[in-house]
Each structure stands twice: as structure tokens, then as C-alpha cells.
Amino acid sequence: MMSPARGFSLITAIMLVLLMTSLALFLHLRITTQWKMATNVESQLYSLVLAENGIEYARTLLPHVELNSLLEGLDGEHSGTHNPEWRSPMPFREARRIDPSAWIPSSDDGLPAYNTQSLLAKGYRAEGNGYFFLRFSNNPEETAECDEDHIVLVRSLGIVPNQLRDPFFPEVRNNVALIEARFRQERVFSVPSPLTLFGDSGFFDWQDEQFSVEGGEEFGVSLVSVSQSTLYQNLVDSLSIAQQERIRGQGAAPSIRDASPAYISERIYQSLFKPDFWNHFLAQLPKFVDGLTGGIAFLPDGGVLQTSFSGILVARGDLILQDRAEVEGLLLHLGAGSLVLKDEAEIAGGVWMSNLDSTGEVLKSRPLSLRVSGSPAIRYDRAAIRKALTYFPPTQLGWRILFPETVQ
């Protein structure tokens, strides 16, 4: 028969073993929980980083796409807005459960494509089996099918598979982050004519009869007035009968139209009549300058161009294009001097001229100044203008993180 002392020792040993086992089990569970939490936090943060990368990628795409074609997708038809999460690449619930490498979209609306054969529906794969997916949609102020103001929403969905599956929610395979950004394509300088004059008056000096302003199917000169204007009369009075024949395009020579009603009524142009736009434009422009090698060039004090340039040339002060100077794209002359076209200089694309005072609450216009001699040419080229405009980065108007409770 076991003595009381030995029985007590046995019970003590058993209790100690149970205590040690319980402590070891507790530590194991605690470490496992902490590991799962750390792993899930890492995956969640990675999905957020991927979603942010998607927004940055969308920013680089926007200058180069035609928005209405993008909104329709490759099938050329908008599928509608019946799905409550139609703006997102896929529903939040589905994103948490799917294998992202095998996902097939039900609609191609707003999905960017490399070419007519390859949709980017399978997303963009990153290290660690992470993905981000993009979908563009029109801003709520317009219909879903048709963009007019060049403002769109883009949603970027970051998906990272869980390294550890939760036994209580085995269907949840992924950590997901969804970001929405609001962008505006910068198209205010999509000039409608080879020569667009934005102002109320001007001084024009045409010294020869060999120059040419060729509008093709468009008007040769478009006039946009800020207030009461003598610009049309100033321009016509400066031209001889023979010189008027050198401004060709739609309608009879000289091919000139008043584009003010169109600029005032169309939303994308309305910012041009606000001082804030011009103050912001001139303040931000130096940040994006590439130089006279191409892209965006800014000559705040004017200068002389005798070589070729492709892109957007912005200048103030006296700017002289002479000899065989060539500009392919856009020439924006913002006043504070004269634009001088001489010899055999040629512009393929469009010219914008304005001379504005944006220091007050109301935009005011000073006289424009254009001098032409020799046989320079301004030839309207819509494709060159469109290509030049891609150098302007889109403007980000908003940014937010969406959650399952707020997404729609």
C-alpha cells in the first residue's frame, strides 16, 4: 500500500507535468497567434502597397488612352451599372476568395489592354504571388457610358494570398486592399485650329505673302475672347487681300471662326477663364520641363529656335522661330512679348497664343503680338497635337481607401 508521502509526491509530479504542459501549450498558441497576426499584417500591408502601385501605373496610362474607348472595353459596348460594385475590378467578397491567377472578368468595361487581343484581366503579378487589378470608370457627374470632361475614377485592387489559412474561415484565401483615385486628363490645350488666339485684341504684322496657315478640314484661325473683343477686326484689318488667301481651311478665306461659344460651353475649357488655372499652370510647369531635346520645354524669357523640336514648347517674351526651325506638336506663347515666325520655319500641330493678367480675381487680357515674315508655315496636325498632350501628366483630384462597408 502506497504511503501518504509517496502519494502526495505522485500527485505533485502529475500537477507539475500538467502545469508544464499547459504552459507549453499556452506558449505555443500564443506564438502561433502572434505569427499569424504578423503574417496577416505583412500580407495586408503588401496588398495596400500593390494597390498604390496600381494607382501609379494608372497615372502613367491615362495621358495615352482615349477615355470613351477605355470605358467601353474592347467589345465596344458598356455593360451597364447593375452590379453595385461595377466600378471595382471585382467585388470585395470575390477578391477574398478567388485564386487571382485564374480569375476571369465578367465585363471588360474600363479594363486597360495592351492591344486588341490581350486584356489585362489577369492583373499584374508581383513577387510573393501578389497581384493588382485596375478598372477605370466615368466620374459620377456624367453618364457611365460617355466622358466629356476628361475626368475618370480608377480603382486599384491589391490581392495577396494568405500564407496561413484561418481554420475558422477556410474560404478566405486572400488579403485585399482597394484604393480609388480621381484623375483628370489635361486636354485644355487641344487646340481646334493651327492658330488659336485667346484674347480680346492683338497686333499682327504680316510682312510677306508667302506664309501659310493650313487648317485642312478645320478653320485656319480660332478666336476665343475673354470679354468684349476687337480681336477679329484687328486680325482681318492686318491682312491684305492676297494675305487673306494664305489662311486656309474650312469656309472661305480667310478661314477664321469665333470659337468663344464652344470654349465657354464645354466643361474641359472652362478653367481657361479662371485666374487660378493660369497661376497654377505657370507655378507647376517648371517641375515637368524636359528641355529643348523634346517633351516639355519652357522658355520664360523667350529666345531663338533654329532647330527641330517635338513636344510642347511653352514660351513667354519674344520667341523667334527662324531659318528652318521646326516644331512638331504644340507651341504655347503666353505673351509678355511677341511671337516671331521668319524664313522657312514650320509648325506641324498647333499654336496657342494668349497674353493674360491673372493677378486679380477676374482674368484680363492684354494685346497679343504676332509678327510673320518670309515663308513660314503653320499646318494643323491633330495626331501631333494628341501626341504632344501626352506629355502633360494627369491631375489627381482625389484619393481614398475603400472598405467592404463603404465600397459601391
Side-chain angles (χ1 to χ4, degrees), residues 133-194:
F133 297 81
L134 297 177
R135 190 183 295 275
F136 294 84
S137 60
N138 205 10
N139 54 308
E141 293 80 11
E142 297 184 324
T143 63
E145 301 84 2
C146 182
D147 169 77
E148 294 182 358
D149 60 7
H150 291 269
I151 297 175
V152 292
L153 304 181
V154 58
R155 287 186 179 178
S156 176
L157 182 71
I159 299 180
V160 177
N162 290 330
Q163 296 184 28
L164 297 173
R165 302 288 282 275
D166 191 325
F168 297 103
F169 302 98
E171 73 279 4
V172 177
R173 304 179 53 162
N174 309 309
N175 280 294
V176 176
L178 181 63
I179 296 177
E180 178 186 272
R182 184 182 179 100
F183 287 108
R184 180 182 66 222
Q185 275 186 335
E186 293 305 337
R187 295 292 187 266
V188 292
F189 292 114
S190 53
V191 294
S193 295

Side-chain angles (χ1 to χ4, degrees), residues 152-333:
V152 292
L153 304 181
V154 58
R155 287 186 179 178
S156 176
L157 182 71
I159 299 180
V160 177
N162 290 330
Q163 296 184 28
L164 297 173
R165 302 288 282 275
D166 191 325
F168 297 103
F169 302 98
E171 73 279 4
V172 177
R173 304 179 53 162
N174 309 309
N175 280 294
V176 176
L178 181 63
I179 296 177
E180 178 186 272
R182 184 182 179 100
F183 287 108
R184 180 182 66 222
Q185 275 186 335
E186 293 305 337
R187 295 292 187 266
V188 292
F189 292 114
S190 53
V191 294
S193 295
L195 179 59
T196 300
L197 306 176
F198 187 86
D200 298 329
S201 63
F203 173 79
F204 306 96
D205 183 12
W206 315 85
Q207 297 181 8
D208 298 293
E209 298 176 359
Q210 287 75 44
F211 72 89
S212 63
V213 179
E214 300 288 348
E217 296 180 356
E218 307 296 334
F219 283 89
V221 180
S222 288
L223 308 179
V224 183
S225 300
V226 177
S227 59
Q228 292 185 346
S229 175
T230 62
L231 189 58
Y232 177 83
Q233 202 61 47
N234 295 154
L235 177 58
V236 173
D237 290 347
S238 69
L239 294 162
S240 68
I241 298 300
Q243 289 171 338
Q244 291 182 16
E245 297 295 326
R246 307 299 297 176
I247 300 179
R248 295 184 286 261
Q250 190 176 138
S255 175
I256 303 173
R257 72 152 180 168
D258 181 9
S260 301
Y263 269 72
I264 293 172
S265 62
E266 294 188 26
R267 293 181 62 183
I268 66 168
Y269 297 127
Q270 290 174 4
S271 59
L272 290 168
F273 297 89
K274 300 176 181 179
D276 289 347
F277 168 82
W278 293 101
N279 295 333
H280 178 78
F281 178 75
L282 291 173
Q284 298 298 317
L285 182 61
K287 300 178 182 179
F288 303 99
V289 168
D290 302 305
L292 285 172
T293 55
I296 299 178
F298 182 37
L299 303 176
D301 300 313
V304 178
L305 182 67
Q306 298 173 285
T307 57
S308 298
F309 174 83
S310 178
I312 301 174
L313 176 58
V314 186
R316 301 191 70 186
D318 293 330
L319 176 65
I320 302 172
L321 274 65
Q322 63 183 32
D323 298 334
R324 293 181 177 273
E326 295 182 0
V327 174
E328 181 181 11
L330 277 171
L331 170 57
L332 309 180
H333 189 266

